[in-house]
Every structure is written in C-alpha cells, then in structure tokens.
Amino acid sequence: MSPDATPDPYADPIAFGQRLKILRTRRGMTRSQLGGLMGMSDEWVKALETGRRKVPRLEVMLRLAEVLRVRDLSDLTGDQSAHVALFTGPGHPQLAAVKSAVDAFPVATVREAPPAEHLAARLAHAWAARHKSPEHRTVLGGLLPDLIRDAQVAVRQADRAPDRRAAQATLAEVYSLAQFFVAYQPDAALLWRVAERGLIAAQESEDPHAIGVAAWLAAQAHRDSGPAHFDAADAVNLETLRYLEPLLPDATDDVLAITGALTFEAGYTAARRGETGTAWRYWDQARKLAKRLPDDYYHPITSFSRAIMGAHAVTVAVELHAGGESVRQAARADAITIKSRPRRARHRIEEARAYQLDGQPDVALATLDKAHEAASETIRYNGYAKRIILEEVEARQPERRRRASELAVKLGLLAQ
C-alpha cells in the first residue's frame, strides 16, 4: 500500500482510534461535528482518535456507531468476534428473487403485459397488504417479483404516448414499493438501483405524484447514507418541492400529501444536522399542509396525514437529541391512530429512542416490545432498536438485562 493511501479499517489491524478517525473522515465529518452529535467536545474526539483516552464503554460505542452510521459494530471496534449488524438487516429470503426481477431487461420478452387496470389493482393490493401485515417484507417478497416484471413489460409494450406515461407512473410506484422491501437489507447497490430507476420512471411519467414519491424515497436514501450526503438529500427534496409548489392551489389530496411528506423530510434532514430552528420550521409547514387534508385521509405510501404529525414531532426531537422534548412529544402523539402497522412500529421505535435519551431505559424496552407486536419485520431491520437492546443487555439491573435479552432473541441478535 502506498504511504499516502488511506488505511482500510475493514482490512488492516489498526487501533480503535485510527478506525474512528477513518470512519469519521469517510462520513465527511469534522471532530467538532462528531463531538457535537455525541454531546462532547472536539478534544474528546481527538483524545479517542489519538489513543489518549481508553476505548469507550459499550453504550458510548453504540452511540458512535449510530452517529457514524456504521453498518457493523466490528467495523468500529476491530473485534471480529463482536459481529453485530446495526443498520443492515439480516437479508430476507426473497431478496434474491426481487433482485433478479429488478435486474431483468425485458427488451424482447414474449411475456404479455396485463391490462393497466389489473396492474393498478395488484399494486393497490400490495400497498394495503404491506400496511396491514406485521411481516410486511415477507408479504412484499412474494408479490414484488411478478409485479416488477409485469410493470416493466407494460412500459415496453405501451404503444400510445399517454399509455406509456401512465405505465411509467405505475412502474415508478412499483419501484417505490420495492425500495421499502430493499431498505436496510445487505445490498446497498440494489437499493440505489431501485431508487434511481424509480426517479427515471417518475420523470418519464410526467405525473406530479409519482415524481414526488420517487424524490421522497431518494432523499431518504441519500440522508441515510450519512452526513456527507445530506446536501444531496436536500437537493433532491427541495428541487421537487419547488416543482410541486405551483400545483398546490388545485392539487389532489395525494399531491398535497406527498408535498407535506417532502416538507417534513427537509425538516428531518435539518434535525440530523442539528439545525433546531430549521427542523421545527419545516415540521410546522408540513403540519399546515396536513391540516388541508380530510380528517381521515392517509397517504397510501408515506402515511402522511393529520395523525402522523405527532409521530413526526417525536422524530424531530429525537434527531435533535432533546430527551425531555422527545418524551413530551411522545406523550402527545397517539400511535393507535397510525393505521399502517410498519409505520406504527417505526413510531414506537422513535418513542423508545426518546425514552432512552431521557434516561428511562425500562420504558424504552417496553415500547420496543410494542413495536415488535405492531410489525416484527420493522424492528428486526432497525438499527436504533438494536442499539438500545444491545446497550441494555449490559445493564446492571437483572430484570432489565432479562427483558433486553428476550428482545434480542426475538430480533435474532442472540441465539435461543
């Protein structure tokens, strides 16, 4: 290796501090930024990186992994016996089948496309099944391969320009559904392929709702890639909002809702940056858009609605690491009103993060139990839930250790 090359923390037997510095640099973070997100100083980070401070205890290590979006704890510790995937799920049995369908290139296929109405009905059924099932990835894994292939063929076989645009809108929505399945699974390249194809199909459709949904998911993919990608998330998000804004006076409920969802996403990214005022300003703008929707309206993809704004408030407060405010927002939010089981489970996980931030680990574990009841395949793939559980497995209190261990077994973190 060249003396000027950056060591690879995944291959070279280097010290913890060196790993920390490399991973921080790869995320595009300064010592001050990392220290601020940890509630510490840049000198604290420097002391860790230079070896002047000892390797931190487990709860601090897990927090570092969360902030740096480290996929596996051993990548940070260097201890391969501590192999724990944090932000990547275990890989669903149907992942290969979905990947095969995404990768197909149906140029000369003899497969006949189903009627547009039939394809739309199947897609609506798939969304409804996802929202209702606690094992939503398993449900989608069975539906997506044929749905993807048929939507691809429908675009290829559309003869008239209006039919082709409508087929592209359907294909974009199928890719959006696929992104929900692929997210947090161990194939980042596939996730980006799905996101990019969704954006292209949406643009070809010229359908504002399809464009908004594809941008909403692309912004999330960028943001979840770490601080170095926050600007890219904002670029996609804010450009799409500028496109949608002139349409709002006469917009359908679905277009109004995806605009609200995108507005909140801008606040979510701001909260990740630690920009308190900006985060809450976007949240308030999203709440005003939600108030223009009917009381019982739920966006079929994002769950954006009046009811979801309480859950969004919890997320903003948690991302800003405001423990007391997070708990206050959690008390105001009513998870029962969230119709989608995966979205309800995600909200319970955000509540658990709030209680953990506020020094209430027992309540956090009880809340994660509720998340598991709502949608087991949401919590199983969620890095924040894993972090809380792994931290409490090391707790001094026997009862807390027992509850955390039971959850760890449910999630497959520990063998039974």
Side-chain angles (χ1 to χ4, degrees):
M1 184 174 69
S2 164
D4 296 325
T6 301
D8 186 346
Y10 306 100
D12 297 308
I14 56 179
F16 166 76
Q18 292 172 303
R19 287 175 173 273
L20 177 62
K21 182 176 181 179
I22 293 166
L23 292 167
R24 172 180 62 78
T25 303
R26 285 186 175 181
R27 285 297 181 198
M29 300 176 71
T30 64
R31 283 172 174 163
S32 294
Q33 288 171 331
L34 177 57
L37 290 170
M38 291 293 298
M40 308 295 282
S41 67
D42 58 343
E43 283 299 318
W44 178 81
V45 177
K46 183 178 180 180
L48 283 177
E49 292 181 349
T50 58
R52 288 190 287 108
R53 292 187 67 94
K54 295 180 180 179
V55 175
R57 60 189 184 277
L58 178 62
E59 57 264 36
V60 178
M61 193 74 77
L62 289 166
R63 177 71 186 124
L64 280 167
E66 176 186 338
V67 170
L68 292 168
R69 298 296 294 178
V70 171
R71 295 289 179 183
D72 193 289
L73 192 59
S74 64
D75 294 339
L76 181 59
T77 65
D79 180 4
Q80 294 305 309
S81 66
H83 178 73
V84 179
L86 291 171
F87 290 91
T88 303
H92 195 276
Q94 286 293 107
L95 181 60
V98 173
K99 182 179 186 297
S100 178
V102 170
D103 290 345
F105 189 51
V107 177
T109 182
V110 296
R111 187 186 186 106
E112 185 176 352
E117 297 78 8
H118 177 66
L119 196 54
R122 285 166 57 196
L123 183 55
H125 167 73
W127 282 117
R130 177 188 181 270
H131 290 305
K132 291 177 182 177
S133 175
E135 297 183 344
H136 47 92
R137 277 190 171 85
T138 297
V139 170
L140 291 186
L143 297 173
L144 275 169
D146 284 341
L147 198 53
I148 292 168
R149 293 188 186 97
D150 285 344
Q152 289 172 335
V153 172
V155 170
R156 178 68 180 165
Q157 295 179 0
D159 294 327
R160 299 170 57 250
D163 293 340
R164 192 174 185 83
R165 286 195 294 271
Q168 291 280 20
T170 299
L171 178 60
E173 191 172 330
V174 170
Y175 281 135
S176 296
L177 185 66
Q179 190 168 336
F180 278 97
F181 174 84
V182 173
Y184 306 113
Q185 296 207 53
D187 195 335
L190 178 61
L191 173 68
W192 282 109
R193 197 149 61 250
V194 169
E196 288 168 0
R197 289 190 184 183
L199 283 170
I200 292 168
Q203 287 178 324
E204 292 293 326
S205 78
E206 300 180 11
D207 180 278
H209 180 253
I211 290 170
V213 170
W216 180 75
L217 284 164
Q220 290 186 11
H222 280 298
R223 186 183 60 237
D224 287 346
S225 295
H229 299 265
F230 287 174
D231 287 346
D234 278 339
V236 173
N237 204 337
L238 299 180
E239 181 68 21
T240 308
L241 283 172
R242 281 191 288 271
Y243 160 73
L244 291 171
E245 187 175 358
L247 308 177
L248 293 183
D250 301 314
T252 63
D253 286 343
D254 284 352
V255 171
L256 187 62
I258 194 57
T259 305
L262 282 161
T263 302
F264 168 70
E265 287 300 316
Y268 194 157
T269 304
R272 280 272 178 94
R273 282 193 172 104
E275 298 171 352
T276 303
T278 303
W280 285 114
R281 176 169 57 83
Y282 278 121
W283 177 86
D284 191 55
Q285 290 175 7
R287 182 172 60 90
K288 290 175 181 176
L289 288 167
K291 285 183 176 180
R292 292 174 56 182
L293 295 167
D295 287 347
D296 60 349
Y297 174 87
Y298 259 81
H299 187 256
I301 299 172
T302 68
S303 291
F304 189 81
S305 58
R306 292 188 178 198
I308 208 69
M309 292 312 301
H312 283 339
V314 176
T315 296
V316 169
V318 167
E319 291 293 344
L320 291 169
H321 308 295
E325 180 63 20
S326 301
V327 170
R328 282 191 291 274
Q329 293 295 345
R332 294 173 188 165
D334 183 2
I336 303 303
T337 63
I338 300 176
K339 297 179 182 179
S340 168
R341 292 185 72 132
R343 188 61 186 84
R344 195 186 318 152
R346 173 63 190 273
H347 174 53
R348 291 299 193 191
I349 293 166
E350 296 294 276
E351 286 185 319
R353 294 176 68 195
Y355 290 120
Q356 189 78 353
L357 276 172
D358 199 49
Q360 302 184 53
D362 291 311
V363 183
L365 289 174
T367 307
L368 288 180
D369 259 324
K370 294 178 182 177
H372 191 270
E373 291 171 9
S376 58
E377 286 193 345
T378 293
I379 188 171
R380 194 175 302 150
Y381 288 78
N382 188 280
Y384 299 117
K386 293 178 188 178
R387 178 182 65 82
I388 293 170
I389 292 167
L390 288 170
E391 185 173 326
E392 297 310 325
V393 164
E394 301 288 329
R396 293 182 179 179
Q397 295 82 351
E399 178 60 21
R400 190 183 304 160
R401 286 201 307 272
R402 182 190 63 78
R403 294 183 67 183
S405 297
E406 288 176 354
L407 269 170
V409 169
K410 288 180 182 178
L411 269 62
L413 297 178
L414 298 176
Q416 299 209 39

